[in-house]
Amino acid sequence: MHILVTGAAGFLGSRLLRALLAGPAGVSQVSRIVAADVTSCPIDDMRVVHRTGTIGDPDFVRSIVEPGLDVVYHLAAVLSGQSEAEFETGMQVNVDATRSLLEACRRLTRAPRMVFASTIAVFGGPLPEVVPENAVLRPQSSYGTEKAIAELLVSEYSRRGFIDGVACRLPTIAIRPGRPNSALSSFVSGIIREPLAGVTSVCPVPLETPIWISSPGTVTHNLVHAARVPRAELEGERALNFPGVRVTAGQMLDSLEQLAGRSARSLVRCEPDAGVARVVGSWPGALDATRALRLGFTADHHIDDVVREYMSDMIMGDRRSD
């Protein structure tokens, strides 16, 4: 199995690489992974070839799409906050570079499976409580618009037989380790991660705001699975709502208090930010993931499980650093 991962050095990309290299949990026996990103991926394995460059450069894109490629994981993107602040950058990376990648794949002699990391932000406007896969795409942000355009491109290139694509509408991934990123949803991880580290954090949305989340482990597992879903079982519908857990910001803080104590909860301040609340509030609070579950994708069950997973990862990380 010959695989390309864009955005390989990022949090999700590096987790995905480890899962693919793990053997039985991967899509198949992996012979070569091209790990492409603006910085080198921190994984040392003889099967991994590191390529450093930007997918905004068509020449770089052509160089990483090698003959014999079986699977492409397209994770590289400009996130929601930066896309909103820097319109041209968002369009160049999230739309133009995706088109360059698709064009490079079109030149291959055999269509590769492309797993495209899309987002719940493709939905917006008036929405039902649970949003079906076939709901009209009315994104309310630059990021959501760019991802919606890319979804259509993945569908069209698949229809023409140039690729065998799956657009995966990822929930907000929580809880991410490390520092906050440029995503407008970054606070979703921050209001748990920072207090657990004894650091103050800010919740910029009303506590009743619903959020569709999934743990890093479940999202990684589902991305691996997306590469092996038979084409016939997709039935021509290339976009999938990924499973998640519906939770409000307030329920996340309740879970934090239950599992880590009142002192941890007290480190979170509620300071509304109208811009963040407007965009995050336009996203669906829950997706209908019935088809994904039928196709073998998995889901987290409760916010407490998500918080416990992160706390367990923290403990393991501390032990490795000793």
Side-chain angles (χ1 to χ4, degrees), residues 198-218:
V199 178
T200 59
S201 183
V202 171
C203 180
V205 302
L207 293 182
E208 65 272 17
T209 303
I211 309 165
W212 189 241
I213 70 167
S214 185
S215 68
T218 296

Side-chain angles (χ1 to χ4, degrees), residues 23 50 52 77 106-107 192 208 222-223 260 290-291 306-307:
H50 301 279
T52 304
R106 183 164 75 96
R107 295 184 177 93
I192 303 294
E208 65 272 17
N222 285 338
L223 286 171
T290 304
R291 185 165 73 107
V306 175
V307 176

